[in-house]
Amino acid sequence: WYQATGDWQDAAWKTWMNMGYGATGSSPATAERLHYFKRGHDVELMNRDRLYSRSVNELDTLVSDYQPPSPPEFMLAGGDILARMSAFMDEGITRKDFYPHDKRVAMEIASVICTEETQASTATEQDLYDRERAAFIRLAQTAHTRERIYSLLHRGGAVRN
């Protein structure tokens, strides 16, 4: 999202909204709008039966002169972004669009991509993995999260709590 917006807070907000609403790219066009698909970089393939052979062909073209990309570096959005996200969730709770635990989940997602500092700060891919794991562990310690996981696994759907 940063390449599209040029602003770390906007990029964090849009990423947070994609994750929070579970936005999926059901087609290349939808995925492109969500910035999951990069035209000119990613491949659009309409027939699943051709996925394996196309993948093998793509790998064959990479073999001869492949150079691994340099490790990516990310920026964690700073400033008032966490306060704005929290206010958005509070408004949704007031309207009864969200439950209080939805806010807890949303703010844990935000903790992965944002910093509490006033300035944006850099993070490595491993830093993001570590932040995501820590957020999941915090959530897994709550009864509401355990109830949601149990419901998904044993009842076939998510419970709203």
Side-chain angles (χ1 to χ4, degrees):
W1 276 109
Y2 178 74
Q3 285 77 19
T5 64
D7 180 89
W8 288 111
Q9 283 197 357
D10 286 346
W13 183 271
K14 291 182 182 299
T15 299
W16 182 68
M17 294 298 275
N18 281 2
M19 290 188 291
Y21 282 112
T24 59
S26 56
S27 70
T30 303
E32 188 174 15
R33 281 193 304 276
L34 297 169
H35 291 268
Y36 298 156
F37 180 89
K38 294 180 187 174
R39 195 152 307 277
H41 178 267
D42 295 321
V43 176
E44 185 175 340
L45 193 62
M46 297 302 288
N47 186 336
R48 272 181 199 231
D49 294 337
R50 296 184 180 154
L51 186 60
Y52 178 76
S53 59
R54 180 64 188 261
S55 299
V56 169
N57 289 340
E58 290 291 320
L59 288 172
D60 286 343
T61 63
L62 291 174
V63 160
S64 63
D65 61 349
Y66 177 74
Q67 292 293 320
S70 58
E73 191 169 271
F74 304 91
M75 293 295 289
L76 303 175
D80 68 342
I81 188 71
L82 287 171
R84 289 191 298 129
M85 290 172 172
S86 181
F88 174 85
M89 293 305 299
D90 288 339
E91 291 167 12
I93 291 169
T94 300
R95 286 189 313 269
K96 303 208 182 299
D97 292 339
F98 307 129
Y99 288 90
H101 192 63
D102 293 333
K103 179 181 178 181
R104 174 80 189 263
V105 172
M107 296 314 294
E108 288 295 349
I109 291 170
S111 77
V112 176
I113 58 175
C114 301
T115 180
E116 293 180 0
E117 305 301 320
T118 57
Q119 297 291 96
S121 62
T122 60
T124 65
E125 191 172 25
Q126 187 61 51
D127 292 336
L128 291 181
Y129 291 141
D130 294 344
R131 293 170 75 88
E132 182 180 18
R133 182 177 185 278
F136 177 79
I137 289 171
R138 287 189 299 270
L139 282 171
Q141 292 172 345
T142 69
H144 286 344
T145 296
R146 289 193 303 275
E147 186 179 356
R148 286 182 180 193
I149 292 171
Y150 181 87
S151 179
L152 281 169
L153 295 175
H154 299 285
R155 296 188 188 123
V159 67
R160 294 299 309 260
N161 57 0

